[in-house]
Structure formats: structure tokens, C-alpha cells
Amino acid sequence: MDRTVYKLVASDLDSTMITETLELPGENIAAVERARRSGCHVVICSGRSTASIMPYEERLGLVAEGCYGISFNGGIVYETVTRKKIRDIRLGSDIAIEILDELVDGGVNPWIYAGDDLYVVKETEWVREYAQRVKTSFRVVESFKEIGDEISKLLVVDYPERLLKIDEQFSKRAGGRYNQFFSAEFLFEFTAKSATKGDALVFLADYLGIPISQTIAIGDNLNDVHMIEAAGFSVAVRNGRDELKALADYVTERNCAQGAVAEVIEKFVL
């Protein structure tokens, strides 16, 4: 049987391409370079903002002509050299404010992104740690309603047991108007209905003229589910959530610290 030639590899960033301590394994850098030389597109597909992804794209050699990135869990697809957006799907301020009001009434301290900018109404140790981890700054505002730009996504950082209650609370009333999911154990997000990694992967493959059957998606967490379901071939890294592993076509032998992405490229692309 002929082997499928994969032309696009979309990889999650945190705990997939990079380690849980934010290190980028040398094996992954070398494998990405070899994949690109073979004619395969490699794309970072992350929940992070575009600006937060950029340092890793630079180290991977992905800031070059013909290279693309996916940020905000699929909300934005962009050219890495120019940062020009070729797809920009936002949660929208009306829905976001509705969710925000209910969260605040319940004693939750949510944050929002408008474009690449992070806004909070209360500075806490949670937001300081998050901003340091993803290498971004944040602005404290009196009210989210004073932000002029359309809200891209909404997030809550809290203890898992509290986030599970939020998930249950809002799943009863989403009505297909937005997505909600865990992107990490302590991080819960709300995005536009069509702002998923899967939608973005399908869009980019079509944009590049690549059949979806010739795409690979690699992830570790629940915000990768849509991407795993959409790709021609799906991979969960060894350190990923069991729920994702159950959906994937392949589970890596290596974990993210051992170069799980390199394993996929070496085994299925080169």
C-alpha cells in the first residue's frame, strides 16, 4: 500500500512542541528543518496570542516566506513574516460581556484578549504568573466594556475544581453560540464557535491547496480535540490527556521533553 505523503503538520505548542517547563528540544528544531526542506509545511497551532508564539517560531526557523501560524485556538491564521492575518474570528464583545457579567457575579476574575492585548480588571498573582509564562504584558482596566476593540477570547485561570463547575454552568446555556474548553489544567477558555484549531487547520489546508487527508495534527490537551478530529492523521503526545489519546490515530512513544514532535516527523513525514 502506498504511503501517504503529508504536506502540512500542525503542532500545538505548550507540552507538545515545547516542554512543560517551556524548553524547546533540539530534536524538534532539527526535525522541523528537515520537514520543511522536504516540502512539508510545519505550523504552530496554539491557544496563545500571535506575539507569544513568535519567539518559538523564530527558533524553529518558521519565520520565513511561505510559513504560517495559528493563534488564539484557531481564531487567527497569519503569515509569520508579515504577521498579516488571513483569518480573524473573534468571540465578539456582546457574547463576551454576557459571559463576563455572569462570571463576575459568581465571584470569578476573568481576563480577556482583544487582538494580542491582554486585559484584566484585577491584578493578581495568577495573572502575573500567566503573563510571565507566555511572555506577554497586561493592562488593568476598570471595566471590560471600555475596551474599544472586539474581544478575541475570554479566559479564566483558577483551580481545576472551580473550572469544572464553570464548564458545567456554561455548557447548559452555550446554545451553539461559542466554544468552551480546558486548554490546560488551570486554564479554561471561551472562543467564537468557528474559532477552533480544527476550523483553522481546514482553512489553512484549503488556502495552501493541500487536501486535508495530507495533514497531521499533534496535540496534548482538550483544546486540540477539533484539530485531532479534522486532520488526515491525528497524534496525541505521550504526556497528553487520556481523552485526547482515545481520539488519536497514533500516540507517541516519546513525551514532549523527549522530542515527541520529532518522532512524528521522522516516522510519518521524512
Side-chain angles (χ1 to χ4, degrees):
M1 190 169 86
D2 292 338
R3 176 182 177 182
T4 301
V5 177
Y6 292 106
K7 292 294 185 181
L8 194 163
V9 175
S11 173
D12 174 52
L13 183 63
D14 290 275
S15 300
T16 302
M17 178 67 79
I18 65 175
T19 71
E20 294 170 359
T21 55
L22 308 181
E23 297 172 359
L24 177 57
E27 298 95 331
N28 288 348
I29 297 174
V32 168
E33 182 182 0
R34 291 180 64 197
R36 290 193 59 232
R37 285 204 307 264
S38 76
C40 180
H41 290 270
V42 180
V43 177
I44 298 299
C45 188
S46 174
R48 292 191 187 209
S49 70
T50 306
S52 181
I53 299 170
M54 183 170 61
Y56 297 102
E57 289 172 327
E58 290 176 339
R59 292 181 61 192
L60 287 162
L62 297 178
V63 181
E65 292 294 333
C67 289
Y68 298 85
I70 298 172
S71 58
F72 288 117
N73 282 309
I76 293 177
V77 182
Y78 57 91
E79 299 174 349
T80 60
V81 171
T82 64
R83 298 290 151 179
K84 175 185 174 183
K85 299 180 182 71
I86 59 174
R87 184 179 193 262
D88 188 353
I89 307 294
R90 303 191 182 199
L91 177 60
S93 297
D94 290 343
I95 292 177
I97 294 299
E98 176 187 326
I99 298 170
L100 287 163
D101 285 344
E102 186 165 345
L103 287 170
V104 172
D105 288 345
V108 178
N109 179 34
W111 317 332
I112 65 103
Y113 273 100
D116 258 340
D117 298 318
L118 176 64
Y119 296 88
V120 302
V121 292
K122 182 189 298 183
E123 181 175 344
T124 64
E125 186 60 30
W126 286 104
V127 72
R128 287 191 291 269
E129 289 182 5
Y130 171 85
Q132 182 179 19
R133 179 177 179 85
V134 303
K135 302 295 188 293
T136 192
S137 58
F138 61 90
R139 292 176 57 186
V140 180
V141 294
E142 289 189 12
S143 169
F144 292 124
K145 296 178 183 178
E146 70 185 59
I147 298 168
D149 202 3
E150 279 286 288
I151 293 174
S152 300
K153 71 172 184 175
L154 186 161
L155 59 161
V156 181
V157 175
D158 212 322
Y159 295 106
E161 56 270 21
R162 292 196 67 188
L163 297 180
L164 284 169
K165 291 180 180 178
I166 291 172
D167 186 21
E168 181 180 2
Q169 174 186 351
F170 282 90
S171 63
K172 297 175 181 177
R173 65 197 71 187
R177 296 183 301 146
Y178 52 82
N179 288 304
Q180 59 185 71
F181 47 77
F182 281 86
S183 51
E185 185 180 10
F186 294 88
L187 181 59
F188 191 78
E189 306 194 22
F190 296 85
T191 66
K193 185 60 182 176
S194 58
T196 71
K197 293 184 178 185
D199 286 315
L201 175 60
V202 171
F203 171 87
L204 183 57
D206 183 66
Y207 185 84
L208 295 172
I210 297 171
I212 198 67
S213 61
Q214 294 181 344
T215 64
I216 297 177
I218 314 170
D220 76 298
N221 218 310
L222 298 183
N223 61 326
D224 298 316
V225 167
H226 291 96
M227 179 171 69
I228 290 295
E229 291 177 336
F233 186 74
S234 57
V235 178
V237 293
R238 180 179 171 186
N239 54 281
R241 294 277 294 255
D242 288 340
E243 301 95 318
L244 196 74
K245 292 177 183 178
L247 296 173
D249 296 314
Y250 178 76
V251 177
T252 61
E253 296 178 5
R254 307 179 200 172
N255 60 34
C256 60
Q258 297 167 326
V261 173
E263 176 187 331
V264 176
I265 290 172
E266 291 161 2
K267 189 175 183 69
F268 301 106
V269 176
L270 300 177

